């Protein structure tokens, strides 16, 4: 694939793009380095280099992280709705609409019962009039969704958010009523975003799903992306978008069609987007005086129905933090499952599910006896005098930092109780098993013990050394409910839960990772939204290691580990 600088178009080449070295030694495809020269600002930016831009968006390359990102140039406003958290979902919806407009519409229609539930309070917030699902007002508002594709994309994005994170609250009219939505600026943002990504993918060997950006047909192409079953959800230069574009309003359609041919400059929309340079002070005042009409998602869940299938077909399915409250697993999977703790808050049992399980902090409460009589039995009596156990019984949330480091007898009892409930699942309490050529080591780390980090890391080192033994070749994945330490953690440094002191301070652990074929780490615990990403590759112990954090939600019933393992690492047959 070669970039034709003169015409701004792609010419197919059977060979992958050659690499050239930049001044700081970073090797990049020739397409990218030639783009650097087009933007003078790159000379004074050693890290984030501009590769492509128009009036409102830009594609940049991070020279340190070696990844691509699409971002706003800073002036365009995504939404006038204060604290609107759906931007990534709506961008993802925009790409899916371009690729599969009929499927996108069908997804929206499948949520009709939930959309009606959202529309009713939306109408009340505007008119103070209570209406029923069968009312004319609700039917009219529902039908209006399908009259404007840019609004339809927004609804699709919000439904994706609903299915991943739970019910949406706060300022519903602007989100679900077309007549209110036209004042938010989101439609104009979507138009400019679509304009940009179409120009981009027609001009460079780039693929995007609305969040991630990947290189195509180059020596730096992410192999996990190349082999992924999800790559069909990415927009590329080969994508057929004619059907979707034909459904857009005429003025939008003409503008986007022109932007495909003229990649150097975007054709502006008929309605200009909201700009911070023009409306910034006004929007800031609105945010300061905003009174949210918020309801906690858990309080709202009973009003909504799960319209999605609960069957999961992943071959190696990673899931955590289900917190099931009705005594049963909310999904099914007939293959191999990796349950990464906090699965049950209601004595869940399941005789069919197969796989492995590591103990989370909520399991420690869930396995406790329900009666005082049982608490006095031989099994539980040894723990009754311990302060941490007394606190666990009285107020679990105040006991977590007191829990014993993961080699304690109490965890053996928890393991025995869980294995009774899940007879086809092996609970890995500081133990291991091999599945299809990969060794899985399960460490009992229910919580992050920052103040006792030295003790915990001494335990991690001792247990890993014992379980790895002297096998330096077998691909190994380490699983724990709470992350091992910051270096193998999916939690963002910007999160309030992130603690700088939880780093790996034991050099012998790093040496162990370097010597053995440890290829990945899996954790849960932090309830990281799926929209933030559920896997990444980090550098630790002088090599690349994948990290996965899979949190349960209605649409996210697990993360497929097969693609990540098989595409990045050679699995040796044992």
């Amino acid at each position: 694939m070669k970039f034709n600088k003169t015409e701004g178009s792609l010419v197919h080449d059977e060979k992958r793009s050659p690499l050239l070295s930049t001044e700081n030694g970073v090797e990049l495809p020739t397409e990218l380095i030639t783009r650097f020269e087009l933007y003078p600002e790159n000379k004074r930016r050693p890290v984030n280099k501009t590769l492509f831009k128009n009036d409102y968006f830009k594609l940049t390359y991070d020279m340190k992280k070696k990844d691509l990102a699409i971002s706003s140039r800073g002036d365009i406003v995504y939404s006038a709705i204060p604290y609107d958290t759906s931007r990534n979902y709506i961008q993802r919806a925009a790409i899916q609409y371009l690729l599969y407009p009929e499927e996108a519409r069908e997804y929206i229609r499948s949520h009709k019962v939930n959309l009606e539930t959202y529309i009713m309070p939306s109408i009340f917030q505007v008119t103070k009039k209570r209406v029923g699902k069968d009312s004319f007002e609700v039917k009219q508002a529902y039908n209006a969704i399908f009259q404007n594709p840019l609004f339809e994309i927004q609804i699709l994005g919000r439904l994706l958010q609903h299915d991943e994170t739970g019910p949406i609250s706060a300022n519903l009219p602007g989100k679900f009523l077309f007549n209110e939505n036209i004042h938010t600026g989101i439609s104009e943002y979507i138009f400019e975003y679509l304009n940009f990504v179409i120009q981009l993918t027609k001009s460079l060997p780039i693929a995007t799903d609305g969040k991630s950006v990947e290189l195509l047909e180059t020596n730096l192409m992410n192999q996990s992306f190349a082999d992924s079953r999800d790559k069909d959800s990415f927009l590329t230069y080969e994508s057929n978008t004619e059907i979707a574009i034909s459904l857009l309003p005429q003025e939008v359609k003409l503008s986007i069609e022109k932007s495909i041919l003229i990649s150097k400059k975007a054709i502006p929309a008929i309605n200009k987007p909201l700009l911070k340079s023009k409306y910034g002070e006004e929007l800031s005042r609105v945010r300061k005086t905003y009174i949210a009409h918020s309801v906690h998602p858990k309080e709202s869940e009973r009003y909504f129905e799960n319209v999605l299938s609960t069957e999961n077909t992943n071959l190696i399915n990673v899931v955590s933090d289900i917190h099931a409250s009705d005594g049963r697993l909310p999904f099914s999977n007939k293959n191999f499952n990796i349950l990464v703790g906090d699965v049950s808050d209601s004595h869940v049992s399941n005789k069919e599910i197969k796989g492995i399980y590591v103990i989370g902090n909520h399991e420690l409460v869930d396995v406790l006896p329900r009666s005082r009589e049982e608490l006095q039995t031989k099994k539980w009596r040894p723990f009754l005098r311990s302060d941490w156990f007394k606190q666990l019984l009285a107020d679990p949330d105040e006991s977590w930092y007191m829990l014993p480091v993961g080699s304690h007898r109490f965890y053996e009892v928890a393991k025995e109780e869980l294995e009774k409930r899940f007879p086809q699942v092996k609970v890995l309490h500081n133990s291991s098993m091999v599945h299809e050529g990969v060794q899985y080591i399960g460490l009992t780390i229910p919580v992050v013990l920052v103040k006792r980090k030295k003790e915990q890391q001494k335990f991690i080192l001792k247990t890993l050394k014992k379980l790895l033994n002297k096998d330096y070749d077998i691909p190994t994945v380490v699983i724990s409910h709470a992350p091992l330490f910051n270096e193998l953690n999916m939690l963002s440094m910007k999160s309030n839960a992130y603690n700088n002191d939880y780093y790996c301070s034991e050099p012998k652990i790093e040496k162990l990772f370097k010597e053995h074929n440890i290829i990945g780490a899996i954790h849960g615990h932090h309830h990281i939204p799926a929209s933030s990403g559920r896997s990444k590759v980090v550098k630790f112990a002088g090599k690349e290691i994948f990290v996965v954090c899979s949190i349960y939600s209605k649409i996210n019933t697990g993360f497929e580990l097969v693609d990540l393992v098989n595409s990045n690492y050679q699995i040796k047959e044992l």
Side-chain angles (χ1 to χ4, degrees):
M1 202 88 58
K2 292 181 179 178
F3 178 73
N4 186 316
K5 244 170 94 174
T6 306
E7 297 178 4
S9 61
L10 288 168
V11 181
H12 189 268
D13 190 349
E14 293 300 323
K15 297 180 181 179
R16 286 190 170 188
S17 301
L19 300 181
L20 292 177
S21 293
T22 59
E23 291 179 1
N24 60 0
V26 177
E27 288 190 333
L28 293 172
T30 53
E31 292 99 330
L32 302 192
I33 292 182
T34 56
R35 297 298 302 188
F36 288 169
E37 299 169 2
L38 299 179
Y39 301 102
E41 65 264 31
N42 286 331
K43 291 182 180 179
R44 61 180 186 273
R45 290 181 182 169
V47 179
N48 289 315
K49 301 281 191 180
T50 302
L51 288 170
F52 191 89
K53 67 181 180 181
N54 68 5
D55 291 342
Y56 302 111
F57 293 93
K58 62 184 177 180
L59 173 74
T60 56
Y61 185 82
D62 189 317
M63 302 291 280
K64 287 185 177 179
K65 295 180 180 178
K66 298 183 180 179
D67 62 12
L68 296 154
I70 294 172
S71 61
S72 157
R73 293 185 64 187
D75 199 20
I76 191 170
V77 175
Y78 152 63
S79 171
I81 300 173
Y83 312 108
D84 190 344
T85 59
S86 295
R87 181 175 60 84
N88 282 333
Y89 292 98
I90 288 174
Q91 288 180 182
R92 207 166 88 204
I95 299 298
Q96 292 311 299
Y97 189 90
L98 275 181
L99 296 173
Y100 311 107
E102 288 304 318
E103 289 86 343
R105 181 164 288 184
E106 187 56 39
Y107 189 89
I108 295 172
R109 284 178 175 147
S110 72
H111 285 70
K112 184 174 187 288
V113 63
N114 288 328
L115 282 170
E116 290 170 342
T117 302
Y118 278 123
I119 288 169
M120 287 191 295
S122 299
I123 292 172
F124 176 75
Q125 285 184 20
V126 173
T127 67
K128 303 304 177 188
K129 177 183 176 183
R130 297 194 181 277
V131 294
K133 282 190 176 183
D134 294 328
S135 66
F136 169 77
E137 291 89 342
V138 169
K139 290 178 180 178
Q140 185 181 47
Y142 174 78
N143 291 330
I145 293 170
F146 305 100
Q147 304 306 310
N148 186 295
L150 295 177
F151 185 50
E152 198 172 344
I153 288 170
Q154 294 179 54
I155 295 297
L156 175 61
R158 297 198 189 279
L159 290 176
L160 291 174
Q161 182 183 29
H162 168 97
D163 289 330
E164 283 194 351
T165 65
I168 299 166
S169 61
N171 208 325
L172 294 176
K175 297 172 182 176
F176 293 98
L177 300 180
F178 178 74
N179 288 336
E180 296 294 317
N181 179 266
I182 56 178
H183 306 297
T184 65
I186 306 174
S187 288
E188 289 76 14
Y189 178 94
I190 294 170
F191 166 73
E192 294 298 348
Y193 178 77
L194 288 174
N195 218 349
F196 178 77
V197 294
I198 289 176
Q199 293 175 59
L200 174 64
T201 54
K202 297 295 181 184
S203 302
L204 281 173
I206 294 295
T208 181
D209 64 351
K211 186 176 187 293
S212 302
V213 185
E214 301 286 352
L215 283 170
L216 292 173
E217 298 297 323
T218 72
N219 296 333
L220 292 183
M221 182 170 64
N222 186 332
Q223 191 61 39
S224 63
F225 167 73
D227 296 336
S228 173
R229 292 181 293 178
D230 294 331
K231 63 183 178 183
D232 288 341
S233 64
F234 280 70
L235 179 73
T236 73
Y237 76 100
E238 293 179 319
S239 299
N240 183 358
T241 58
E242 292 179 6
I243 297 175
I245 292 174
S246 70
L247 298 173
L248 295 172
Q250 186 67 13
E251 66 273 18
V252 177
K253 173 188 170 185
L254 291 173
S255 186
I256 287 181
E257 286 176 341
K258 288 179 182 178
S259 76
I260 293 173
L261 300 174
I262 307 172
S263 62
K264 293 180 180 179
K265 183 176 178 62
I267 305 300
I270 300 300
N271 296 318
K272 285 283 187 181
L274 292 177
L275 302 178
K276 290 180 183 177
S277 56
K278 190 172 182 180
Y279 301 101
E281 291 184 11
E282 182 182 345
L283 292 171
S284 180
R285 284 195 299 271
V286 170
R287 174 171 283 197
K288 285 180 180 178
T289 58
Y290 175 67
I291 300 174
H293 305 280
S294 296
V295 179
H296 194 279
K298 284 192 174 181
E299 294 178 27
S300 303
E301 278 180 357
R302 59 195 176 101
Y303 298 108
F304 294 89
E305 296 181 17
N306 180 17
V307 299
L308 302 172
S309 171
T310 59
E311 183 179 3
N312 179 299
T313 59
N314 291 341
L315 298 177
I316 301 179
N317 184 47
V318 183
V319 64
S320 71
D321 299 84
I322 295 172
H323 295 282
S325 57
D326 59 359
R328 59 188 182 88
L329 287 180
F331 74 97
S332 62
N333 180 293
K334 296 178 182 178
N335 300 312
F336 188 81
N337 292 269
I338 301 176
L339 305 175
V340 197
D342 282 11
V343 170
S344 172
D345 284 331
S346 57
H347 288 238
V348 171
S349 62
N350 189 294
K351 294 180 180 179
E352 282 76 40
I353 195 164
K354 303 178 184 72
I356 54 182
Y357 194 147
V358 295
I359 300 169
N361 51 308
H362 277 249
E363 272 80 19
L364 303 180
V365 179
D366 200 51
V367 300
L368 292 174
R370 292 181 173 181
S371 67
R372 287 190 176 184
E373 290 77 13
E374 189 181 352
L375 197 59
Q376 296 297 325
T377 59
K378 184 179 178 180
K379 181 189 292 185
W380 301 101
R381 203 178 300 135
F383 315 120
L384 293 177
R385 293 184 180 180
S386 302
D387 289 340
W388 62 266
F389 190 74
K390 292 176 183 176
Q391 192 65 50
L392 188 68
L393 292 170
D395 187 353
D397 287 338
E398 293 299 319
S399 73
W400 305 135
Y401 71 96
M402 302 169 66
L403 291 176
V405 169
S407 57
H408 197 276
R409 167 62 188 161
F410 175 64
Y411 300 125
E412 291 284 350
V413 175
K415 173 181 180 288
E416 292 166 8
E417 292 295 313
L418 291 172
E419 286 180 337
K420 290 177 187 175
R421 301 179 192 174
F422 299 89
Q424 297 197 67
V425 170
K426 183 172 182 178
V427 179
L428 295 184
H429 165 53
N430 306 323
S431 57
S432 66
M433 74 169 288
V434 175
H435 175 71
E436 295 185 350
V438 179
Q439 176 178 227
Y440 295 92
I441 291 178
L443 299 183
T444 299
I445 306 178
V447 290
V448 172
L449 296 175
V450 179
K451 292 183 179 178
R452 293 153 61 200
K453 179 182 68 173
K454 188 175 181 180
E455 182 185 4
Q456 179 135 302
Q457 292 189 7
K458 184 179 178 182
F459 150 74
I460 292 172
L461 176 63
K462 180 181 177 181
T463 309
L464 282 179
K465 195 171 183 180
K466 176 185 175 184
L467 295 173
L468 289 165
N469 199 359
K470 293 185 179 181
D471 190 336
Y472 297 96
D473 296 324
I474 185 169
T476 300
V477 178
V478 182
I479 310 165
S480 57
H481 178 62
L484 299 173
F485 30 74
N486 285 344
E487 289 85 343
L488 299 177
N489 188 348
M490 282 289 293
L491 189 66
S492 168
M493 294 177 69
K494 296 178 182 179
S495 169
N496 292 331
Y498 189 90
N499 193 309
N500 288 324
D501 293 330
Y502 197 59
Y503 62 90
C504 180
S505 58
E506 175 51 77
K508 290 181 181 178
I509 292 179
E510 192 166 349
K511 185 173 183 286
L512 204 67
F513 269 75
K514 189 173 185 177
E515 293 175 344
H516 292 266
N517 191 17
I518 299 175
I519 63 172
I522 300 172
H523 75 89
H525 189 58
H526 286 304
H527 292 220
I528 300 166
S531 58
S532 299
R534 291 149 68 191
S535 70
K536 66 178 180 180
V537 175
V538 300
K539 271 212 163 184
F540 179 70
K543 62 182 180 181
E544 291 188 338
I545 296 174
F546 70 74
V547 185
V548 170
C549 183
S550 184
I551 306 299
Y552 171 80
S553 73
K554 287 184 173 68
I555 195 170
N556 164 26
T557 57
F559 177 87
E560 174 61 273
L561 195 66
V562 165
D563 294 335
L564 186 59
V565 172
N566 288 351
S567 61
N568 286 283
Y569 305 94
Q570 182 178 359
I571 307 303
K572 297 184 179 180
E573 289 189 15
L574 302 182

